[in-house]
Amino acid sequence: MSARHANYRLGSFYALITAFLYAVQEPFSSLAAMRLNTLQFVCLTQIALFLSVPLLTAHRVSRHDFVALLADGWNYGRLAAIFAIGMTGLLLYNLGLTEAHPIIVSAILNLLPFWAALVALAIMRVPIPVSPVVFFACFAGAFLGAMAVAWSQLPDRQSMNALVTQFAHGSWVYALPVPICTALGATLIGRWFGRYDESAAIAANFLFANVILIPTTLILLCRRSELNFDQPLAIALMIVGTIIAASVGRVFYQVAITVTAGDNGFVSMFLNLVPALTAVVSFALSWWIASLHFAFDATFFVGLALIAASLAEFTRKSWGPAPRAD
């Protein structure tokens, strides 16, 4: 699909659905993240993704393309490359969190639209659908809004000295490549597996990772005598959240990239909505899970207004008849 055939109206719709689906994962996985160690969490996440493969390939076309993709030996090098990129991002994310203020890491992760636009331009030759001034102005507004939402949830917002200290000496630098890995992986799936159904491509990538990570984590857990998964509610919620967000949400993300002719920067702009939408999901679940709490104060609503205004203007400009190169 050439850039001039990109459907930004439909892409906006799929990107919004992606943001809603992505917002589910953190609240649903919070109990498991608190009560399980890292290895147990990774193992159960991979099991959840493995359970989603039949769901993703339930449709006949998806099932056919899934088999065809795995039957082509040339695709395994590409699957390995995407797996390596994803694992690099995950390891750097965990390393970055060790001694970093959460607001700094949140700021780094919310740079995704910027890096996604550059990756789409470099790999897919997709120009930004609006002028650079409009793109960066809307990006700045949505970024500041997302930061305001994240800031509103910090338990101690007065610790500016600690924030400055961690900015100067913290581990946040390790998280800098994380949004690049996220953008690169999604763009490469669109480029390398664009002729296959999106659900089939995502399922194949999941299965490739599952075959490596599930046996590895189970062996390590067995050696450590940590195969005691005694948190049924936390595990059930995490599996449901992972299937909704990481499986179904990932498919909608790839569909949005496809219909916008590989414009990952455009699609990723809508992910700035995720922190605010997470608040809504957390608030709904807090009636049953006491540990979930989201503060709806003035800072939160200012951030939400900034995100909404920026995305509305970005969408309006993107839907215009501006010419786009191939």
Side-chain angles (χ1 to χ4, degrees):
M1 183 187 293
S2 66
R4 67 167 150 242
H5 293 135
N7 188 334
Y8 284 93
R9 292 177 183 269
L10 189 58
S12 302
F13 173 72
Y14 284 126
L16 283 171
I17 293 178
T18 300
F20 274 102
L21 294 173
Y22 274 21
V24 169
Q25 186 159 20
E26 185 177 341
F28 273 68
S29 300
S30 61
L31 277 180
M34 289 185 292
R35 298 178 182 180
L36 302 174
N37 63 43
T38 301
L39 202 57
Q40 289 174 324
F41 189 84
V42 171
C43 179
L44 288 173
T45 298
Q46 289 300 314
I47 291 174
L49 295 178
F50 178 73
L51 293 175
S52 71
V53 170
L55 173 66
L56 296 176
T57 56
H59 193 271
R60 182 179 59 83
V61 174
S62 301
R63 193 161 52 249
H64 174 271
D65 282 7
F66 175 73
V67 174
L69 191 157
L70 293 177
D72 187 346
W74 289 101
N75 287 329
Y76 284 91
R78 296 170 174 175
L79 291 170
I82 293 171
F83 171 74
I85 292 169
M87 285 303 301
T88 300
L90 179 61
L91 292 174
L92 288 173
Y93 175 70
N94 289 334
L95 191 60
L97 282 177
T98 54
E99 297 177 7
H101 196 286
I103 196 68
I104 299 176
V105 176
S106 180
I108 291 171
L109 298 182
N110 277 295
L111 291 172
L112 176 60
F114 171 75
W115 293 115
L118 293 183
V119 168
L121 180 62
I123 295 179
M124 303 292 288
R125 304 299 181 191
V126 177
I128 297 172
V130 294
S131 71
V133 173
V134 172
F135 177 82
F136 286 109
C138 293
F139 169 64
F143 175 82
L144 290 175
M147 289 300 94
V149 170
W151 181 259
S152 71
Q153 304 311 308
L154 294 180
D156 181 10
R157 292 186 234 167
Q158 306 303 319
S159 56
M160 292 303 297
N161 290 334
L163 180 60
V164 172
T165 300
Q166 290 196 26
F167 183 78
H169 306 290
S171 60
W172 60 269
V173 291
Y174 294 109
L176 284 174
V178 173
I180 303 175
C181 292
T182 302
L184 184 58
T187 297
L188 288 177
I189 289 175
R191 180 177 179 85
W192 287 341
F193 306 124
R195 62 192 179 95
Y196 300 103
D197 176 78
E198 289 85 2
S199 294
I202 297 301
N205 278 274
F206 284 167
L207 186 62
F208 186 90
N210 297 155
V211 170
I212 297 173
L213 292 177
I214 292 177
T216 302
T217 53
L218 285 175
I219 290 171
L220 291 173
L221 288 171
C222 183
R223 288 182 175 180
R224 297 181 181 185
S225 301
E226 294 177 348
L227 284 173
N228 52 329
F229 299 106
D230 56 353
Q231 301 289 337
L233 176 60
I235 292 171
L237 285 173
M238 189 206 70
I239 290 176
V240 171
T242 300
I243 291 175
I244 293 173
S247 299
V248 182
R250 185 74 178 275
V251 171
F252 275 94
Y253 186 15
Q254 291 300 146
V255 171
I257 291 175
T258 299
V259 300
T260 56
D263 198 338
N264 199 359
F266 174 88
V267 175
S268 299
M269 188 74 80
F270 290 84
L271 298 185
N272 281 301
L273 279 168
V274 171
L277 295 174
T278 298
V280 177
V281 177
S282 297
F283 178 74
L285 288 177
S286 66
W287 293 93
W288 295 276
I289 304 174
S291 59
L292 286 177
H293 174 70
F294 228 98
F296 293 91
D297 59 8
T299 305
F300 171 84
F301 287 108
V302 169
L304 182 60
L306 274 172
I307 297 170
S310 301
L311 290 181
E313 178 62 12
F314 181 70
T315 303
R316 186 181 72 83
K317 291 289 187 180
S318 300
W319 288 6
R324 302 182 178 94
D326 288 342

